Amino acid sequence: IGVGLVGFGLFFILFGMLLYFDSVLLAFGNILFLSGLVFIIGFRRTFTFFFQRPKLKGTSCFFGGVLIVLMRWPLLGMLLQAYGFIILFR
């Protein structure tokens, strides 16, 4: 279930970017991606991964980008999410 949710989430994010940053598709993709991640590695491990002390800057940028996409500013939100993703996984 988790891999399917992550796959659909990435598909909707890509499709939303191809359709000139459609905010509804991007928001749906973000929600599916994060819920799939929780299904794959578990709630506790997901929480501890995102909220480690050295990763708080990346986490705040990533979730801030998700929030901005949900508030219908898709380009700015995706840029902030990409920056947070780079900081989280470097």
Side-chain angles (χ1 to χ4, degrees):
I1 293 174
V3 174
L5 287 174
V6 168
F8 277 119
L10 291 175
F11 171 74
F12 279 111
I13 289 172
L14 177 68
F15 197 57
M17 288 170 51
L18 288 175
L19 291 176
Y20 301 112
F21 292 95
D22 183 31
S23 61
V24 174
L25 289 174
L26 291 173
F28 194 61
N30 284 330
I31 291 169
L32 285 175
F33 179 77
L34 290 173
S35 63
L37 190 64
V38 169
F39 269 97
I40 290 173
I41 63 174
F43 183 75
R44 181 171 295 205
R45 286 178 127 179
T46 304
F47 186 80
T48 57
F49 172 75
F50 279 111
F51 293 103
Q52 293 175 4
R53 190 146 185 91
K55 295 183 179 184
L56 283 179
K57 182 179 177 184
T59 300
S60 62
C61 287
F62 184 76
F63 286 121
V66 171
L67 185 67
I68 290 174
V69 166
L70 289 173
M71 292 179 2
R72 303 219 175 206
W73 287 70
L75 185 61
L76 181 65
M78 288 305 290
L79 288 174
L80 191 61
Q81 259 186 298
Y83 178 70
F85 188 80
I86 290 170
I87 291 176
L88 271 173
F89 293 105
R90 65 176 167 165

Coordinates of all heavy atoms in Angstrom, one line a residue:
I1 N 0.8 -1.2 0.0 CA 0.0 0.0 0.0 C 0.9 1.3 0.0 O 0.6 2.2 -0.7 CB -1.0 0.0 1.2 CG1 -2.0 -1.1 1.1 CG2 -1.7 1.3 1.3 CD1 -2.9 -1.3 2.3
G2 N 1.9 1.2 0.8 CA 2.8 2.4 0.9 C 3.5 2.7 -0.4 O 3.6 3.9 -0.8
V3 N 4.0 1.7 -1.0 CA 4.7 1.9 -2.3 C 3.8 2.5 -3.4 O 4.1 3.4 -4.1 CB 5.4 0.6 -2.8 CG1 6.0 0.8 -4.1 CG2 6.5 0.2 -1.8
G4 N 2.5 1.9 -3.4 CA 1.5 2.5 -4.3 C 1.2 3.9 -4.0 O 1.1 4.7 -5.0
L5 N 1.0 4.3 -2.8 CA 0.7 5.7 -2.4 C 1.9 6.6 -2.8 O 1.6 7.7 -3.3 CB 0.4 5.8 -0.9 CG -0.9 5.2 -0.5 CD1 -1.0 5.3 1.1 CD2 -2.0 6.0 -1.1
V6 N 3.1 6.2 -2.6 CA 4.3 7.0 -2.9 C 4.3 7.1 -4.5 O 4.6 8.2 -5.0 CB 5.6 6.4 -2.4 CG1 6.8 7.1 -3.0 CG2 5.6 6.6 -0.9
G7 N 4.1 6.0 -5.2 CA 4.1 6.1 -6.6 C 3.0 7.0 -7.2 O 3.3 7.8 -8.1
F8 N 1.8 6.9 -6.7 CA 0.7 7.8 -7.1 C 1.1 9.2 -6.7 O 0.7 10.2 -7.5 CB -0.6 7.4 -6.5 CG -1.3 6.3 -7.3 CD1 -1.6 5.1 -6.7 CD2 -1.6 6.5 -8.7 CE1 -2.2 4.1 -7.4 CE2 -2.2 5.5 -9.4 CZ -2.5 4.3 -8.8
G9 N 1.6 9.4 -5.5 CA 2.0 10.8 -5.1 C 3.0 11.4 -6.1 O 2.9 12.5 -6.5
L10 N 4.1 10.6 -6.4 CA 5.1 11.1 -7.4 C 4.4 11.4 -8.8 O 4.8 12.4 -9.4 CB 6.2 10.2 -7.5 CG 7.1 10.1 -6.2 CD1 8.2 9.0 -6.4 CD2 7.7 11.4 -5.9
F11 N 3.5 10.5 -9.2 CA 2.8 10.7 -10.4 C 2.0 12.0 -10.4 O 2.1 12.8 -11.4 CB 1.9 9.5 -10.7 CG 1.0 9.7 -11.9 CD1 1.5 9.7 -13.2 CD2 -0.3 10.0 -11.7 CE1 0.7 9.9 -14.3 CE2 -1.2 10.2 -12.8 CZ -0.7 10.2 -14.1
F12 N 1.3 12.2 -9.4 CA 0.5 13.5 -9.3 C 1.3 14.7 -9.2 O 1.0 15.7 -9.8 CB -0.5 13.4 -8.2 CG -1.8 12.6 -8.5 CD1 -2.0 11.4 -7.9 CD2 -2.7 13.1 -9.4 CE1 -3.1 10.7 -8.1 CE2 -3.8 12.4 -9.7 CZ -4.1 11.1 -9.1
I13 N 2.5 14.6 -8.5 CA 3.4 15.8 -8.5 C 3.9 16.0 -9.9 O 4.0 17.2 -10.3 CB 4.5 15.5 -7.4 CG1 3.9 15.6 -6.0 CG2 5.6 16.5 -7.6 CD1 4.9 15.2 -4.9
L14 N 4.4 15.0 -10.6 CA 4.9 15.2 -11.9 C 3.8 15.7 -12.9 O 4.1 16.6 -13.6 CB 5.5 13.9 -12.4 CG 6.0 13.9 -13.8 CD1 7.3 14.8 -13.9 CD2 6.3 12.5 -14.3
F15 N 2.6 15.1 -12.8 CA 1.5 15.6 -13.7 C 1.1 17.0 -13.3 O 0.8 17.8 -14.3 CB 0.4 14.6 -13.5 CG -0.6 14.7 -14.6 CD1 -0.3 14.5 -15.9 CD2 -2.0 14.9 -14.3 CE1 -1.2 14.5 -16.9 CE2 -2.9 15.0 -15.3 CZ -2.5 14.8 -16.6
G16 N 1.1 17.4 -12.1 CA 0.8 18.7 -11.7 C 1.9 19.7 -12.2 O 1.5 20.9 -12.6
M17 N 3.1 19.3 -12.2 CA 4.2 20.2 -12.8 C 4.1 20.3 -14.3 O 4.3 21.4 -14.8 CB 5.5 19.7 -12.3 CG 5.8 19.9 -10.9 SD 7.3 19.1 -10.2 CE 8.5 19.6 -11.3
L18 N 3.7 19.2 -14.9 CA 3.5 19.2 -16.4 C 2.3 20.1 -16.8 O 2.3 20.7 -17.9 CB 3.3 17.8 -17.0 CG 4.6 17.0 -17.0 CD1 4.2 15.6 -17.4 CD2 5.7 17.6 -17.8
L19 N 1.3 20.2 -16.0 CA 0.2 21.0 -16.3 C 0.3 22.4 -15.7 O -0.6 23.0 -15.1 CB -1.1 20.4 -15.8 CG -1.5 19.1 -16.5 CD1 -2.7 18.5 -15.8 CD2 -1.8 19.4 -18.0
Y20 N 1.5 23.0 -15.8 CA 1.8 24.3 -15.4 C 1.5 24.6 -13.9 O 0.8 25.5 -13.5 CB 1.1 25.4 -16.2 CG 1.5 25.3 -17.7 CD1 0.5 24.8 -18.6 CD2 2.8 25.6 -18.1 CE1 0.9 24.7 -20.0 CE2 3.1 25.4 -19.5 CZ 2.2 25.0 -20.4 OH 2.5 24.9 -21.7
F21 N 2.0 23.7 -13.1 CA 1.9 23.8 -11.6 C 0.5 24.0 -11.1 O 0.1 24.9 -10.5 CB 2.8 25.0 -11.1 CG 4.2 24.7 -11.3 CD1 4.9 25.2 -12.3 CD2 4.9 24.0 -10.3 CE1 6.3 24.9 -12.5 CE2 6.2 23.7 -10.5 CZ 6.9 24.1 -11.6
D22 N -0.3 23.0 -11.5 CA -1.7 22.9 -11.0 C -1.7 22.6 -9.5 O -1.2 21.6 -9.1 CB -2.5 21.8 -11.8 CG -3.9 21.7 -11.4 OD1 -4.5 22.8 -11.0 OD2 -4.5 20.6 -11.4
S23 N -2.2 23.5 -8.7 CA -2.1 23.4 -7.3 C -2.9 22.2 -6.7 O -2.4 21.7 -5.7 CB -2.5 24.7 -6.6 OG -3.9 25.0 -6.9
V24 N -4.0 21.9 -7.3 CA -4.8 20.8 -6.7 C -4.0 19.4 -6.9 O -3.9 18.6 -6.0 CB -6.2 20.7 -7.4 CG1 -6.9 19.5 -6.9 CG2 -6.9 22.0 -7.1
L25 N -3.5 19.2 -8.1 CA -2.7 18.0 -8.3 C -1.4 17.9 -7.5 O -1.1 16.9 -6.9 CB -2.3 17.9 -9.8 CG -3.5 17.6 -10.8 CD1 -3.0 17.6 -12.2 CD2 -4.1 16.2 -10.5
L26 N -0.8 19.1 -7.3 CA 0.4 19.1 -6.5 C 0.1 18.8 -5.0 O 0.8 18.1 -4.3 CB 1.2 20.4 -6.6 CG 1.8 20.7 -8.0 CD1 2.3 22.1 -8.0 CD2 2.9 19.7 -8.2
A27 N -0.9 19.4 -4.5 CA -1.3 19.2 -3.1 C -1.7 17.7 -2.9 O -1.3 17.1 -1.9 CB -2.5 20.1 -2.8
F28 N -2.5 17.2 -3.9 CA -2.9 15.8 -3.7 C -1.7 14.8 -3.8 O -1.6 13.9 -3.0 CB -3.9 15.4 -4.9 CG -4.6 14.1 -4.7 CD1 -5.4 13.9 -3.6 CD2 -4.5 13.1 -5.6 CE1 -6.1 12.7 -3.4 CE2 -5.1 11.9 -5.5 CZ -5.9 11.7 -4.4
G29 N -0.7 15.2 -4.7 CA 0.5 14.4 -4.7 C 1.3 14.5 -3.5 O 1.9 13.5 -3.0
N30 N 1.4 15.7 -2.9 CA 2.1 15.8 -1.6 C 1.5 15.0 -0.5 O 2.2 14.3 0.3 CB 2.2 17.3 -1.2 CG 3.2 18.1 -2.0 OD1 4.2 17.5 -2.4 ND2 2.9 19.3 -2.2
I31 N 0.2 15.0 -0.4 CA -0.5 14.2 0.6 C -0.3 12.7 0.4 O 0.0 12.0 1.4 CB -2.0 14.6 0.7 CG1 -2.1 16.1 1.2 CG2 -2.8 13.7 1.6 CD1 -3.5 16.7 1.0
L32 N -0.4 12.3 -0.8 CA -0.2 10.9 -1.1 C 1.2 10.4 -0.8 O 1.4 9.4 -0.3 CB -0.6 10.5 -2.5 CG -2.1 10.5 -2.9 CD1 -2.3 10.3 -4.4 CD2 -2.8 9.4 -2.1
F33 N 2.2 11.3 -1.2 CA 3.6 10.9 -1.0 C 3.9 10.8 0.5 O 4.5 9.8 0.9 CB 4.5 12.0 -1.6 CG 5.9 11.7 -1.4 CD1 6.6 10.8 -2.1 CD2 6.6 12.4 -0.5 CE1 7.9 10.5 -1.9 CE2 8.0 12.2 -0.3 CZ 8.6 11.3 -1.0
L34 N 3.4 11.8 1.3 CA 3.7 11.7 2.7 C 3.0 10.6 3.4 O 3.6 9.9 4.3 CB 3.4 13.1 3.4 CG 4.3 14.2 3.0 CD1 3.8 15.5 3.6 CD2 5.7 14.0 3.5
S35 N 1.8 10.3 3.0 CA 1.1 9.2 3.7 C 1.7 7.8 3.2 O 1.7 6.9 4.0 CB -0.4 9.2 3.3 OG -0.6 9.1 1.9
G36 N 2.2 7.7 2.0 CA 2.8 6.5 1.6 C 4.1 6.3 2.3 O 4.5 5.2 2.7
L37 N 4.9 7.4 2.6 CA 6.1 7.3 3.4 C 5.8 6.8 4.8 O 6.5 6.0 5.3 CB 6.8 8.7 3.4 CG 8.2 8.7 4.0 CD1 9.1 8.0 3.1 CD2 8.6 10.2 4.1
V38 N 4.7 7.2 5.4 CA 4.3 6.8 6.7 C 4.0 5.3 6.6 O 4.3 4.5 7.5 CB 3.1 7.6 7.3 CG1 2.5 6.9 8.5 CG2 3.6 9.0 7.6
F39 N 3.3 4.8 5.6 CA 3.0 3.4 5.5 C 4.2 2.6 5.3 O 4.3 1.4 5.7 CB 2.0 3.2 4.3 CG 0.6 3.2 4.7 CD1 -0.2 4.4 4.5 CD2 -0.1 2.1 5.2 CE1 -1.5 4.5 4.8 CE2 -1.4 2.2 5.5 CZ -2.1 3.4 5.4
I40 N 5.2 3.1 4.6 CA 6.4 2.3 4.3 C 7.3 2.1 5.5 O 7.7 1.0 5.9 CB 7.2 2.9 3.1 CG1 6.5 2.7 1.8 CG2 8.6 2.2 3.0 CD1 7.1 3.4 0.6
I41 N 7.6 3.2 6.2 CA 8.6 3.1 7.3 C 8.0 3.3 8.7 O 8.7 3.1 9.7 CB 9.8 4.1 7.1 CG1 9.3 5.5 7.1 CG2 10.5 3.8 5.8 CD1 10.4 6.5 7.1
G42 N 6.7 3.5 8.7 CA 6.0 3.6 10.0 C 6.0 5.1 10.5 O 6.8 5.9 10.1
F43 N 5.0 5.3 11.4 CA 4.8 6.7 11.9 C 5.9 7.2 12.8 O 6.4 8.3 12.6 CB 3.5 6.8 12.6 CG 3.1 8.1 13.1 CD1 2.7 9.1 12.2 CD2 3.3 8.5 14.4 CE1 2.4 10.4 12.6 CE2 3.0 9.8 14.9 CZ 2.6 10.7 14.0
R44 N 6.4 6.3 13.7 CA 7.4 6.7 14.6 C 8.7 7.0 13.9 O 9.4 8.0 14.1 CB 7.6 5.7 15.6 CG 8.7 6.1 16.7 CD 8.7 5.1 17.8 NE 7.5 5.2 18.5 CZ 7.3 5.0 19.7 NH1 8.2 4.5 20.4 NH2 6.1 5.1 20.3
R45 N 9.1 6.2 12.9 CA 10.4 6.4 12.2 C 10.3 7.6 11.3 O 11.3 8.3 11.1 CB 10.7 5.2 11.4 CG 11.2 4.0 12.2 CD 11.5 2.9 11.3 NE 12.9 2.4 11.5 CZ 13.4 1.4 10.9 NH1 12.7 0.7 10.0 NH2 14.6 1.0 11.2
T46 N 9.1 7.8 10.7 CA 8.9 9.0 9.9 C 9.1 10.3 10.7 O 9.7 11.2 10.4 CB 7.6 9.0 9.2 OG1 7.4 7.8 8.4 CG2 7.4 10.2 8.3
F47 N 8.4 10.3 11.9 CA 8.5 11.4 12.8 C 9.9 11.7 13.3 O 10.4 12.8 13.3 CB 7.6 11.2 14.0 CG 7.4 12.3 14.9 CD1 6.6 13.4 14.6 CD2 8.2 12.4 16.1 CE1 6.5 14.5 15.4 CE2 8.1 13.5 16.9 CZ 7.2 14.6 16.6
T48 N 10.6 10.6 13.6 CA 12.0 10.8 14.1 C 12.9 11.2 13.0 O 13.9 11.9 13.2 CB 12.5 9.5 14.8 OG1 12.5 8.4 13.9 CG2 11.8 9.2 16.1
F49 N 12.7 10.8 11.7 CA 13.5 11.2 10.6 C 13.3 12.7 10.4 O 14.3 13.4 10.2 CB 13.1 10.4 9.4 CG 13.8 11.0 8.1 CD1 15.2 10.7 7.9 CD2 13.1 11.7 7.2 CE1 15.8 11.2 6.8 CE2 13.8 12.2 6.1 CZ 15.1 12.0 5.9
F50 N 12.1 13.2 10.3 CA 11.9 14.6 10.0 C 12.2 15.5 11.1 O 12.6 16.7 10.9 CB 10.4 14.8 9.5 CG 10.1 14.4 8.1 CD1 9.4 13.3 7.8 CD2 10.7 15.1 7.1 CE1 9.1 13.0 6.5 CE2 10.4 14.8 5.8 CZ 9.6 13.7 5.5
F51 N 12.1 15.1 12.3 CA 12.3 16.0 13.4 C 13.5 15.8 14.3 O 13.5 16.0 15.5 CB 11.0 16.0 14.3 CG 9.8 16.5 13.6 CD1 8.8 15.7 13.1 CD2 9.7 17.9 13.4 CE1 7.7 16.2 12.5 CE2 8.6 18.4 12.8 CZ 7.6 17.5 12.3
Q52 N 14.6 15.4 13.6 CA 15.9 15.3 14.2 C 16.4 16.8 14.3 O 16.1 17.6 13.4 CB 16.9 14.5 13.4 CG 16.5 13.0 13.4 CD 17.5 12.2 12.5 OE1 18.4 12.7 12.0 NE2 17.2 10.9 12.4
R53 N 17.2 17.0 15.3 CA 17.7 18.4 15.5 C 18.5 18.9 14.3 O 18.3 20.1 13.9 CB 18.6 18.4 16.8 CG 18.9 19.8 17.2 CD 18.9 19.9 18.7 NE 19.1 21.2 19.2 CZ 18.2 22.1 19.5 NH1 16.9 21.7 19.3 NH2 18.4 23.3 19.9
P54 N 19.4 18.2 13.7 CA 20.2 18.8 12.6 C 19.3 18.9 11.3 O 19.7 19.6 10.4 CB 21.3 17.8 12.3 CG 21.2 16.7 13.3 CD 20.0 16.9 14.1
K55 N 18.2 18.3 11.2 CA 17.4 18.3 10.0 C 16.2 19.2 10.1 O 15.3 19.2 9.2 CB 16.9 16.9 9.6 CG 18.0 16.0 9.3 CD 17.4 14.6 8.9 CE 18.6 13.7 8.5 NZ 18.1 12.5 8.0
L56 N 16.1 20.1 11.2 CA 14.9 20.9 11.3 C 14.8 22.0 10.3 O 13.7 22.3 9.9 CB 14.9 21.5 12.7 CG 14.5 20.6 13.9 CD1 14.6 21.3 15.2 CD2 13.1 20.1 13.7
K57 N 15.9 22.5 9.7 CA 15.8 23.5 8.7 C 15.2 22.9 7.4 O 14.3 23.5 6.8 CB 17.2 24.0 8.4 CG 17.2 25.1 7.4 CD 18.7 25.6 7.1 CE 18.7 26.7 6.1 NZ 20.1 27.1 5.8
G58 N 15.7 21.7 7.1 CA 15.1 21.1 5.9 C 13.7 20.7 6.1 O 12.8 20.8 5.2
T59 N 13.3 20.2 7.3 CA 12.0 19.8 7.6 C 11.0 21.0 7.5 O 9.9 20.9 6.9 CB 11.9 19.1 8.9 OG1 12.7 18.0 8.9 CG2 10.5 18.8 9.3
S60 N 11.4 22.1 8.1 CA 10.6 23.3 8.0 C 10.4 23.8 6.6 O 9.3 24.3 6.3 CB 11.2 24.4 9.0 OG 12.4 24.8 8.5
C61 N 11.5 23.8 5.8 CA 11.3 24.2 4.4 C 10.4 23.3 3.7 O 9.5 23.7 2.9 CB 12.7 24.3 3.7 SG 13.7 25.7 4.3
F62 N 10.6 22.0 3.9 CA 9.8 21.0 3.2 C 8.3 21.1 3.5 O 7.4 21.2 2.6 CB 10.3 19.6 3.4 CG 9.5 18.5 2.7 CD1 9.8 18.3 1.3 CD2 8.6 17.7 3.3 CE1 9.2 17.3 0.6 CE2 7.9 16.7 2.6 CZ 8.2 16.5 1.2
F63 N 8.0 21.1 4.8 CA 6.6 21.2 5.2 C 6.0 22.6 5.0 O 4.8 22.8 4.7 CB 6.4 20.8 6.7 CG 6.5 19.3 6.9 CD1 7.4 18.7 7.7 CD2 5.6 18.5 6.2 CE1 7.5 17.4 7.8 CE2 5.7 17.1 6.4 CZ 6.7 16.6 7.2
G64 N 6.9 23.6 5.0 CA 6.4 25.0 4.6 C 6.0 25.0 3.2 O 5.0 25.7 2.8
G65 N 6.8 24.3 2.3 CA 6.4 24.2 0.9 C 5.1 23.5 0.7 O 4.3 23.9 -0.2
V66 N 4.9 22.4 1.4 CA 3.6 21.7 1.3 C 2.5 22.6 1.7 O 1.5 22.7 1.1 CB 3.6 20.4 2.2 CG1 2.3 19.8 2.3 CG2 4.6 19.4 1.7
L67 N 2.7 23.4 2.8 CA 1.6 24.3 3.3 C 1.4 25.4 2.3 O 0.2 25.8 2.0 CB 2.0 24.9 4.6 CG 1.0 25.8 5.3 CD1 -0.2 25.0 5.7 CD2 1.6 26.5 6.5
I68 N 2.4 25.9 1.6 CA 2.3 27.0 0.6 C 1.6 26.4 -0.6 O 0.7 27.1 -1.2 CB 3.6 27.6 0.3 CG1 4.1 28.4 1.5 CG2 3.5 28.5 -0.9 CD1 5.5 29.0 1.4
V69 N 1.9 25.2 -1.0 CA 1.1 24.6 -2.1 C -0.3 24.4 -1.8 O -1.2 24.7 -2.6 CB 1.8 23.2 -2.5 CG1 0.9 22.4 -3.4 CG2 3.1 23.4 -3.2
L70 N -0.6 24.0 -0.5 CA -2.0 23.9 -0.1 C -2.7 25.2 -0.1 O -4.0 25.3 -0.2 CB -2.1 23.2 1.3 CG -1.7 21.7 1.3 CD1 -1.7 21.2 2.7 CD2 -2.7 20.9 0.5
M71 N -2.0 26.3 0.1 CA -2.6 27.7 0.1 C -2.6 28.2 -1.3 O -2.9 29.4 -1.5 CB -1.8 28.6 1.0 CG -2.0 28.2 2.4 SD -1.1 29.2 3.7 CE -0.2 30.5 2.8
R72 N -2.4 27.4 -2.3 CA -2.5 27.8 -3.8 C -1.5 28.7 -4.3 O -1.7 29.6 -5.1 CB -3.9 28.3 -4.1 CG -5.0 27.3 -3.7 CD -6.0 27.2 -4.6 NE -6.9 26.1 -4.3 CZ -7.7 25.5 -5.1 NH1 -7.6 25.9 -6.4 NH2 -8.5 24.6 -4.7
W73 N -0.2 28.6 -3.8 CA 0.9 29.2 -4.4 C 1.9 28.1 -4.8 O 2.9 27.9 -4.2 CB 1.6 30.1 -3.3 CG 0.9 31.4 -3.0 CD1 -0.3 31.5 -2.4 CD2 1.2 32.7 -3.4 NE1 -0.7 32.8 -2.3 CE2 0.2 33.5 -2.9 CE3 2.3 33.2 -4.1 CZ2 0.3 34.9 -3.1 CZ3 2.3 34.6 -4.2 CH2 1.3 35.4 -3.7
P74 N 1.6 27.5 -5.9 CA 2.3 26.2 -6.3 C 3.8 26.4 -6.6 O 4.6 25.6 -6.2 CB 1.5 25.7 -7.4 CG 0.8 26.8 -8.0 CD 0.5 27.7 -6.9
L75 N 4.1 27.4 -7.4 CA 5.5 27.6 -7.8 C 6.4 27.9 -6.7 O 7.5 27.2 -6.5 CB 5.6 28.7 -8.9 CG 7.0 28.9 -9.5 CD1 7.4 27.6 -10.2 CD2 7.0 30.0 -10.5
L76 N 6.0 28.8 -5.8 CA 6.8 29.1 -4.6 C 6.9 27.9 -3.7 O 8.0 27.6 -3.1 CB 6.2 30.3 -3.9 CG 7.0 30.8 -2.7 CD1 8.3 31.3 -3.1 CD2 6.1 31.9 -2.0
G77 N 5.8 27.2 -3.5 CA 5.8 26.1 -2.6 C 6.7 25.0 -3.1 O 7.4 24.3 -2.3
M78 N 6.6 24.7 -4.4 CA 7.5 23.6 -5.0 C 9.0 24.0 -4.9 O 9.8 23.1 -4.6 CB 7.1 23.3 -6.4 CG 5.8 22.6 -6.5 SD 5.7 21.1 -5.5 CE 6.8 20.0 -6.4
L79 N 9.3 25.2 -5.1 CA 10.7 25.7 -4.9 C 11.2 25.5 -3.5 O 12.3 25.0 -3.2 CB 10.9 27.1 -5.4 CG 10.8 27.4 -6.9 CD1 10.8 28.9 -7.1 CD2 11.9 26.7 -7.6
L80 N 10.3 25.9 -2.5 CA 10.7 25.7 -1.1 C 10.7 24.2 -0.7 O 11.6 23.8 0.0 CB 9.6 26.4 -0.2 CG 10.0 26.6 1.2 CD1 11.2 27.4 1.4 CD2 8.8 27.3 1.9
Q81 N 9.8 23.4 -1.3 CA 9.9 22.0 -1.0 C 11.2 21.4 -1.6 O 11.8 20.5 -1.0 CB 8.7 21.3 -1.7 CG 7.6 21.0 -0.8 CD 6.6 20.2 -1.5 OE1 6.0 20.7 -2.5 NE2 6.3 19.0 -1.1
A82 N 11.6 21.8 -2.8 CA 12.8 21.2 -3.4 C 14.0 21.6 -2.6 O 14.9 20.8 -2.4 CB 12.9 21.7 -4.8
Y83 N 14.1 22.8 -2.1 CA 15.2 23.2 -1.2 C 15.2 22.4 0.0 O 16.2 21.9 0.5 CB 15.0 24.7 -0.9 CG 16.1 25.3 0.0 CD1 17.4 25.4 -0.5 CD2 15.8 25.7 1.3 CE1 18.4 25.8 0.4 CE2 16.8 26.1 2.1 CZ 18.1 26.2 1.7 OH 19.1 26.7 2.5
G84 N 14.0 22.2 0.7 CA 14.0 21.4 1.9 C 14.3 20.0 1.6 O 15.0 19.3 2.4
F85 N 13.9 19.4 0.5 CA 14.2 18.1 0.1 C 15.7 17.9 0.0 O 16.3 16.9 0.4 CB 13.5 17.7 -1.2 CG 13.6 16.2 -1.5 CD1 12.8 15.3 -0.9 CD2 14.5 15.8 -2.5 CE1 12.9 14.0 -1.3 CE2 14.6 14.5 -2.8 CZ 13.8 13.6 -2.2
I86 N 16.4 18.9 -0.7 CA 17.8 18.8 -0.9 C 18.6 18.8 0.5 O 19.5 18.1 0.7 CB 18.3 19.9 -1.8 CG1 17.8 19.6 -3.2 CG2 19.8 20.1 -1.8 CD1 18.0 20.8 -4.2
I87 N 18.1 19.7 1.4 CA 18.7 19.8 2.7 C 18.5 18.6 3.5 O 19.4 18.1 4.2 CB 18.2 21.1 3.4 CG1 18.8 22.3 2.7 CG2 18.6 21.1 4.9 CD1 18.3 23.6 3.3
L88 N 17.3 18.0 3.4 CA 17.0 16.8 4.2 C 17.8 15.6 3.8 O 18.3 14.8 4.6 CB 15.5 16.4 4.0 CG 14.5 17.1 5.0 CD1 13.1 16.7 4.6 CD2 14.8 16.6 6.4
F89 N 18.0 15.4 2.5 CA 18.6 14.1 2.0 C 20.0 14.3 1.5 O 20.5 13.4 0.8 CB 17.7 13.6 0.9 CG 16.4 13.1 1.4 CD1 15.2 13.8 1.1 CD2 16.3 11.9 2.1 CE1 14.0 13.4 1.6 CE2 15.1 11.5 2.6 CZ 13.9 12.2 2.3
R90 N 20.7 15.3 1.9 CA 22.1 15.4 1.5 C 23.0 14.7 2.4 O 22.7 14.2 3.5 CB 22.6 16.9 1.4 CG 22.5 17.6 2.8 CD 23.1 19.0 2.6 NE 22.8 19.7 3.9 CZ 23.3 20.8 4.2 NH1 24.2 21.4 3.4 NH2 23.0 21.4 5.3

